[in-house]
């Protein structure tokens, strides 16, 4: 991996974006939050309520995630607490932004976000991160499961699905418990959630099949592994890319 400053900065921005995507996905997987539980917004401050994420607050207040983080001294993974008061753009700034937005929308149609095509199976070699029954599969539905859930026994070993570098070890992302994220080249990241114990550290290089954790139930109500493969921050269906259970990859 390149160690020049521009590459390091791009990698940091990409990782911050991925944290935001995980926060947003985690929030959408929870039971729907009623309007009564949403935070109060005064125009210059926002009071955090249950179920809020920085991404959701940015959408409601018209501020960007980066701007909210800067105004409130937050750093990735942007952990916020219920009852916390966050500074947002002033009413005048927000009004100007809304006016500019309406003017821009009226003059031209917004460009659609580029669609990321899923890579073909077999492009990379992936190993099953653990053994067990898949109790919840991948879903493309809004708020659906963005990986697979594999049931097992507490303490069961969890393995790196491919060689790479550990870019996150922690439990700050609500709903994922003890989470490990491993970066594989510039395009791929795998995630391993609900671990009982974690056996790797941030920045550590790992080999394919290396034991990185033990299975647990942190952040959930049953013993299982939640496993994701993400391509350019887009969640893929892991079962399209993994070999049949019990077999080594053929590539």
């Amino acid at each position: 991996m390149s160690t020049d400053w521009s590459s390091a900065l791009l990698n940091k921005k990409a990782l911050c974006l991925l944290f935001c995507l995980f926060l947003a996905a985690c929030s959408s997987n929870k039971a729907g939050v009623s309007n009564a539980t949403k935070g109060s917004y005064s125009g210059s401050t926002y009071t955090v309520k249950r179920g809020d994420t920085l991404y959701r607050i940015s959408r409601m207040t018209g501020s960007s995630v980066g701007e909210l983080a800067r105004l409130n001294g937050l750093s990735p993974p942007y952990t916020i607490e219920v009852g916390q008061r966050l500074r947002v753009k002033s009413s005048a700034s927000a009004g100007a932004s809304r006016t500019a937005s309406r003017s821009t929308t009226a003059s031209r149609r917004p460009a659609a976000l580029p669609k990321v095509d899923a890579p073909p199976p077999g492009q990379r070699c992936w190993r099953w991160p653990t053994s067990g029954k898949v109790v919840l599969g991948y879903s493309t539905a809004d708020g659906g499961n963005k990986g697979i859930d594999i049931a097992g026994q507490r303490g069961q070993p969890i393995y790196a699905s491919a060689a790479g570098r550990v870019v996150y070890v922690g439990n700050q992302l609500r709903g994922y418990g003890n989470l490990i994220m491993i970066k594989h080249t510039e395009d791929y990241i795998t995630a391993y959630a609900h671990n009982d114990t974690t056996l790797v550290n941030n920045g550590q290089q790992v080999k394919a099949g290396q034991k990185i954790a033990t299975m647990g139930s942190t952040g959930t109500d049953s013993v299982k592994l939640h496993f994701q493969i993400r391509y350019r921050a887009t969640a893929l269906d892991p079962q399209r890319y993994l070999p049949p259970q019990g077999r080594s990859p053929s590539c």
Side-chain angles (χ1 to χ4, degrees):
M1 180 180 296
S2 172
T3 57
D4 65 83
W5 285 106
S6 60
S7 177
L9 181 59
L10 287 173
N11 289 342
K12 183 177 181 181
K13 288 182 177 178
L15 186 57
C16 289
L17 173 60
L18 186 59
F19 276 128
C20 294
L21 290 172
F22 265 93
L23 285 167
C26 180
S27 176
S28 64
N29 284 339
K30 299 290 183 183
V33 179
S34 68
N35 290 333
T37 61
K38 290 182 179 179
S40 57
Y41 176 40
S42 68
S44 60
T45 61
Y46 181 93
T47 304
V48 178
K49 297 293 184 179
R50 179 172 56 84
D52 278 341
T53 66
L54 207 64
Y55 175 79
R56 177 182 291 180
I57 293 170
S58 74
R59 296 289 298 274
M60 285 191 287
T61 62
S63 304
S64 68
V65 170
E67 186 174 30
L68 287 173
R70 179 181 60 79
L71 288 172
N72 295 280
L74 301 174
S75 57
Y78 305 130
T79 302
I80 54 179
E81 303 293 337
V82 173
Q84 182 177 352
R85 296 184 67 184
L86 299 178
R87 294 174 58 196
V88 298
K89 290 190 300 184
S90 67
S91 300
S93 297
S97 296
R98 286 192 292 269
T99 301
S101 177
R102 284 194 295 268
S103 176
T104 301
T105 301
S107 62
R108 63 178 177 83
R109 189 174 182 177
L113 291 173
K115 180 181 179 181
V116 176
D117 293 326
Q123 187 179 80
R124 288 189 57 84
C125 291
W126 300 104
R127 298 169 181 262
W128 278 84
T130 194
S131 59
K133 181 180 179 181
V134 176
V135 292
L136 185 61
Y138 172 86
S139 172
T140 58
D142 185 24
N145 195 34
K146 299 311 175 187
I148 56 174
D149 292 359
I150 307 170
Q153 301 296 317
R154 188 177 305 277
Q156 183 173 315
I158 306 296
Y159 304 102
S161 188
R165 179 173 63 88
V166 178
V167 293
Y168 179 79
V169 178
N171 56 11
Q172 289 87 0
L173 300 184
R174 186 189 306 169
Y176 290 94
N178 294 330
L179 173 68
I180 295 173
M181 295 165 63
I182 300 176
K183 186 172 184 178
H184 318 274
T185 73
E186 293 303 311
D187 292 331
Y188 291 95
I189 283 182
T190 52
Y192 312 75
H194 307 312
N195 302 301
D196 188 37
T197 58
T198 54
L199 306 175
V200 291
N201 301 309
N202 283 314
Q204 181 177 338
Q205 294 288 336
V206 296
K207 299 177 180 179
Q210 179 177 334
K211 185 177 178 181
I212 59 172
T214 60
M215 189 180 291
S217 58
T218 56
T220 188
D221 56 2
S222 61
V223 177
K224 62 186 176 185
L225 169 69
H226 174 72
F227 174 66
Q228 292 189 15
I229 298 176
R230 288 185 173 255
Y231 175 72
R232 299 177 183 173
T234 298
L236 306 176
D237 181 357
Q239 289 184 285
R240 287 193 63 215
Y241 299 91
L242 294 168
Q245 277 212 53
R247 297 186 189 177
S248 298
S250 57
C251 50

